[in-house]
Amino acid sequence: MPSTERNAFLILLVAVTIGFGWIVWPLAGAILWAVALAIIFRSVNQGILRRVDGRATLAAATTTLLVLVLVLLPAILIAGFVSQEASALVRRVQAGELDLAGMYRRAVEVLPAWLVDTLNAAGLSNLPALMERLKSTAAQGSKPLANQVWQLGQGTLDFAVGFLVMLYLLFFLLRDGDALMREVRRALPLRDAVQERLFGRFRSVVRSTVKGNIVVAALQGALGGIALMVLDIEGAVLWAVVMAFLSLLPAIGAAIVWGPIAAYLLMTGQVWQGVGLIAFGALVIGLIDNVLRPILVGKETRIPDYVVLVTTIGGMTLFGINGFVIGPLVAALFIAAWEIFAATKARART
């Protein structure tokens, strides 16, 4: 191919690639989770494929149905249950069944004088006055309410579309993923050894990050919820799910929930309950994060814990829930690419 024609074709290739990425970007989350689930359940699909005599379509459909029944539907049901509990908690507060003002006042009374003075200076020591300020702010911002309702409905529609697209892509990735990967690797201008290292790191990070973080989050949320139920904390299931979600942040996640609850118990005179929750949170919930997470996440990815923490927080800041996969994934590929570059440079010197 002449150089002019080759350059023109490369420009066209870059342009259509950017255009393609721009078009599919609204569904990037659905595509990410379809790829992640396809990688995680690939071995399951391979096992089913052997049992159905190599009928790829039947195996992919069966695996997709298993993912839907065993993973996705339970997650949706839990989300619905938590939404109902949160709504019930709000209704109880509005009806006056929960005396938040009294609880807040009792907590302030046991604080040190300097801290009370600080709260007074900030206007935070009087909960009823604070609530009135929040109501006034909410009233000022309620003018575009119709627009907010429309956005909520649009968000629900986007979720439904993304969910269906994810299932659709999952089926085809399970069925045709190996052939698609061969075509991608054939088109990339990289040596086979480099491709194998990068794609191997990609697969290991996705498997360990998704499976490991979800297992850790589920265990921490469940144990935290049980502890709150034993202590008769209002909305224990809701807080358990919040703990599970925040557990996606290594080292600090679940403590964001049980820490303030324990502090409140101590400040309101429930010393043994507060001390017990602190001990349980530090020794049991924290032990899961300190022991199980490195085994499930860090061991296979070979990423330092501090890098996992920083990239997870950064990823979730930029990409929301998808960031807990994207952050460590970018970090792993960054480390792998620099390792390959360093090894190549070292070979060139010799």
Side-chain angles (χ1 to χ4, degrees):
M1 182 182 294
S3 60
T4 302
E5 184 179 353
R6 182 175 180 275
N7 292 336
F9 180 76
L10 288 176
I11 293 173
L12 175 63
L13 183 63
V14 171
V16 296
T17 302
I18 294 174
F20 178 79
W22 179 57
I23 289 173
V24 302
W25 179 252
L27 295 171
I31 296 171
L32 172 68
W33 285 104
V35 172
L37 290 172
I39 291 173
I40 293 171
F41 286 91
R42 183 177 181 274
S43 59
V44 175
N45 186 69
Q46 293 295 323
I48 295 175
L49 186 63
R50 289 191 295 268
R51 291 180 177 271
V52 297
D53 300 325
R55 287 177 285 181
T57 300
L58 178 59
T62 304
T63 306
T64 303
L65 183 61
L66 285 175
V67 173
L68 178 63
V69 173
L70 299 179
V71 179
L72 300 178
L73 288 183
I76 293 174
L77 291 175
I78 291 174
F81 180 76
V82 170
S83 177
Q84 291 178 358
E85 184 164 319
S87 299
L89 186 62
V90 170
R91 286 195 298 269
R92 291 191 61 185
V93 172
Q94 292 175 342
E97 297 178 19
L98 292 178
D99 186 14
L100 293 182
M103 290 188 289
Y104 189 78
R105 185 178 61 255
R106 289 193 297 272
V108 171
E109 288 173 354
V110 299
L111 293 176
W114 65 267
L115 186 53
V116 174
D117 293 339
T118 302
L119 292 176
N120 287 331
L124 300 177
S125 61
N126 190 331
L127 184 61
L130 179 61
M131 295 299 295
E132 287 299 322
R133 288 166 55 189
L134 293 175
K135 289 180 182 179
S136 176
T137 302
Q140 294 177 2
S142 62
K143 295 179 181 180
L145 181 60
N147 184 46
Q148 296 297 323
V149 172
W150 163 254
Q151 290 182 359
L152 178 62
Q154 188 67 30
T156 304
L157 178 61
D158 290 343
F159 172 80
V161 171
F163 184 77
L164 293 176
V165 169
M166 182 188 67
L167 286 178
Y168 185 78
L169 288 176
L170 175 61
F171 167 77
F172 283 102
L173 288 173
L174 289 170
R175 193 189 70 176
D176 306 324
D178 291 342
L180 178 62
M181 184 55 63
R182 285 194 296 270
E183 292 299 318
V184 170
R185 295 184 62 169
R186 189 171 65 88
L188 288 177
L190 298 172
R191 299 194 315 270
D192 290 342
V194 174
Q195 290 188 24
E196 184 60 36
R197 188 166 184 176
L198 291 176
F199 282 115
R201 185 65 66 90
F202 180 89
R203 289 191 297 268
S204 66
V205 169
V206 171
R207 281 198 304 264
S208 60
T209 300
V210 176
K211 289 195 299 184
N213 280 332
I214 288 178
V215 168
V216 170
L219 285 175
Q220 289 189 315
L223 290 172
I226 292 172
L228 297 182
M229 287 180 183
V230 171
L231 296 174
D232 197 26
I233 301 297
E234 188 71 29
V237 176
L238 172 63
W239 295 122
V241 174
V242 174
M243 257 189 284
F245 177 76
L246 292 176
S247 295
L248 297 175
L249 300 176
I252 61 173
I256 298 175
V257 176
W258 64 258
I261 294 176
Y264 168 78
L265 292 174
L266 292 173
M267 288 188 297
T268 54
Q270 304 176 68
V271 177
W272 288 111
Q273 293 90 329
V275 171
L277 182 56
I278 291 174
F280 186 82
L283 299 178
V284 179
I285 299 177
L287 187 65
I288 291 175
D289 193 82
N290 295 328
V291 175
L292 195 58
R293 190 188 298 273
I295 294 175
L296 295 176
V297 179
K299 184 177 180 180
E300 188 174 359
T301 60
R302 292 178 295 169
I303 305 176
D305 291 342
Y306 60 88
V307 176
V308 174
L309 173 62
V310 171
T311 55
T312 299
I313 296 175
M316 294 182 72
T317 301
L318 291 174
F319 303 105
I321 188 63
N322 300 326
F324 92 89
V325 178
I326 297 175
L329 177 60
V330 172
L333 294 178
F334 171 82
I335 294 172
W338 277 99
E339 287 176 349
I340 293 170
F341 177 76
T344 302
K345 189 174 180 180
R347 284 196 301 268
R349 287 177 178 175
T350 59

